[in-house]
Amino acid sequence: MPGAVRDGDVWQLTWSGPAVMGIVNATPDSFSDGGRHAAADAAVAHARAEARAGAAWIDVGGESTRPGATPVPEEEELRRILPVVRALAADGTVRISVDTRRPGVARAALEAGAHLINDVHGLRDPEMRRVVADAGAAAIVMHMRGEPATMQDDPRYDDVVGEVHGWLERAARRAEEDGVPSVLVDPGWGFGKRDADHVALLGSLPRLVAHGRPVAFGASRKGSIGRWAGVADPAARDPGTLVVHQEAALGGAALLRVHDVAGQVQALAVRRALCAATRRGPEQDRIVLSGMEFHGYHGVFEEEARFGARFRVDVEMRVPLPAEDDLARTVDYARVYARVSEEVTGRRYRVIEALASAIAEGVLRCDARIETATVRVHKPHAPLPGVVRDVTVEVVRRR
Ligand code: HH2
């Protein structure tokens, strides 16, 4: 759940474990619940029900950003969201986020009591950054390729993870430099991405988390879930949403943006109990053997086969570890070392990708309790026509 710490005059939000953000679309045309909460009293009642169901945050939106959506005038967006923000601020029981890309709407919402601006444009607009910084509010910086009207028209990336992470890093840094005290980043599921991009971004969440900012995540009821599950009606996609959000939670997401708050809260409670019992999760136990060095004969060249070279190997094993002081209850890392040594010195591989893959599979075979093996093979003396400190291949294999 989010907390807050004071740093001089500024409050910083702190995060531990995924908090749930309930969606309130005060719109006639949102993709899964358009029109259901368009009237202010229906939107407020829905927000209060979400707060009672365990949402720490409510995200109020007055303009749909679904693929193909057309923008609404600013006055209309204000007319839709302000009564909801004012009512929730008067309740004082939940933190209020406003989903907008307009500085004028953000300013009015913050004056009315909102705590966070959720900007699907990633605070690209300097005026938006100034409004949020002046209010000392938090912000979600989300990645979107293009604009809602056209963003799903054949989006393409050379390296979706590198491009999205790099974009988020630059956008978040720009916001921080302009004085926004708390910035969350969101990879923007469904915003100018193909299903394969979603899968890659979901798998890369631990790396995004490692950039050091809390990660917000929202796949709720979106198109890819419908395609994977064969469910056309967006309102019937909550079970699929929970599966994706479970992966996001394991990847270290701090905030999950959902339509079905009660379901998400229940799923997280069960997940917490299981993680505690099995020591799984982003902070999962692990054993790491780093910097093992061997002389091997890998490579495509004749000289490499004849003279060999030095290879360095790191192995990280995700494995639930016992509290007891008993070798039989844990993984014997001497066995793992012997396995790695045998693979690097006993055979010749033409490419280190194949070597890394064989090591990872061998490590998994060493002990049935090892759930994931991450193996890095370094080839510092790779035959290249220039100065290179190291060439590394990393593979991850799960049981
Ligand atoms: N998705 C939507 C809207 N805002 N904000 C963040 N940070 N992350 C998201 O993934 C995200 C978002 C789209 O979902 P929804 O609000 O349910 O639909 P619509 O835009 O049609 O109102």
Side-chain angles (χ1 to χ4, degrees):
M1 297 293 267
V5 289
R6 201 182 175 104
D7 175 12
D9 288 338
V10 175
W11 286 94
Q12 296 270 359
L13 291 175
T14 59
W15 301 85
S16 61
V20 175
M21 174 179 263
I23 299 169
V24 175
N25 285 319
T27 57
D29 58 342
S30 286
F31 78 94
S32 93
D33 53 0
R36 290 195 55 202
H37 316 114
D41 51 354
V44 172
H46 184 58
R48 286 180 177 146
E50 290 189 326
R52 280 195 303 276
W57 289 86
I58 299 294
D59 190 38
V60 186
E63 177 182 66
S64 173
T65 51
R66 74 183 194 289
T70 40
V72 297
E74 180 162 330
E75 314 74 65
E76 176 60 14
E77 194 182 341
L78 282 167
R79 193 192 65 73
R80 292 176 183 177
I81 62 137
L82 281 182
V84 187
V85 174
R86 289 197 186 109
L88 295 180
D91 290 352
T93 51
V94 71
R95 285 168 206 271
I96 307 160
S97 158
V98 169
D99 187 347
T100 185
R101 58 192 173 81
R102 290 199 172 95
V105 174
R107 186 183 297 108
L110 291 166
E111 281 167 11
H115 307 97
L116 180 150
I117 297 301
N118 172 22
D119 182 5
V120 300
H121 274 209
L123 263 56
R124 280 177 231 181
D125 183 342
E127 176 65 4
M128 186 62 128
R129 299 199 289 279
R130 202 169 60 76
V131 166
V132 179
D134 285 352
I140 298 178
V141 162
M142 196 197 79
H143 176 271
M144 168 165 62
R145 163 71 66 86
E147 292 297 321
T150 53
M151 65 191 176
Q152 287 306 105
D153 298 349
D154 198 24
R156 279 184 193 279
Y157 301 81
D158 290 331
D159 164 18
V160 66
V161 170
E163 288 173 46
V164 172
H165 287 195
W167 191 92
L168 287 172
E169 176 62 31
R170 288 189 296 279
R173 204 173 316 134
R174 197 169 47 196
E176 288 158 356
E177 283 167 4
D178 284 356
V180 178
S182 280
V183 178
L184 293 94
V185 290
D186 183 333
W189 186 285
F191 285 84
K193 284 151 197 120
R194 297 160 299 173
D195 289 350
D197 301 325
H198 296 132
V199 174
L201 287 166
L202 183 59
S204 72
L205 277 193
R207 275 188 275 156
L208 186 57
V209 171
H211 286 210
R213 294 183 190 85
V215 171
F217 191 87
S220 191
R221 299 183 175 173
K222 288 185 180 168
S224 41
I225 293 171
R227 285 186 288 280
W228 290 329
V231 176
D233 177 8
R237 295 176 187 159
D238 290 329
T241 300
L242 292 180
V243 175
V244 174
H245 282 189
Q246 161 76 354
E247 290 281 320
L250 284 169
L255 182 69
L256 298 171
R257 183 180 179 278
V258 293
H259 297 87
D260 173 23
V261 170
Q264 185 64 73
V265 167
Q266 185 183 113
L268 286 174
V270 172
R271 172 187 167 266
R272 263 193 301 278
L274 292 178
C275 283
T278 60
R279 303 215 182 88
R280 285 201 183 84
E283 324 73 20
Q284 190 187 338
D285 302 344
R286 67 193 78 187
I287 298 176
V288 182
L289 278 80
S290 50
M292 293 177 275
E293 291 203 356
F294 308 96
H295 195 85
Y297 295 86
H298 315 292
V300 291
F301 296 114
E302 179 53 30
E303 296 72 39
E304 293 180 299
R306 188 138 38 101
F307 302 116
R310 186 160 53 87
F311 290 83
R312 214 168 56 246
V313 181
D314 310 318
V315 173
E316 179 180 312
M317 296 162 279
R318 296 221 165 192
V319 54
L321 296 176
E324 295 84 357
D325 187 13
D326 179 1
L327 179 61
R329 301 284 314 274
T330 184
V331 170
D332 179 357
Y333 51 71
R335 280 190 66 193
V336 175
Y337 178 88
R339 183 82 217 100
V340 176
S341 169
E342 202 178 304
E343 205 62 56
V344 185
T345 59
R347 262 192 76 174
R348 168 169 147 74
Y349 289 89
R350 295 170 65 78
V351 294
I352 54 173
E353 288 82 342
L355 171 62
S357 179
I359 294 174
E361 276 154 24
V363 167
L364 286 179
R365 281 196 299 275
C366 276
D367 193 306
R369 289 167 293 196
I370 302 170
E371 295 173 350
T372 307
T374 303
V375 172
R376 275 184 294 279
V377 173
H378 305 261
K379 188 176 180 182
H381 303 297
L384 291 168
V387 179
V388 178
R389 181 144 45 85
D390 195 11
V391 174
T392 307
V393 163
E394 177 176 302
V395 303
V396 183
R397 295 287 180 270
R398 292 187 180 80
R399 186 167 297 287

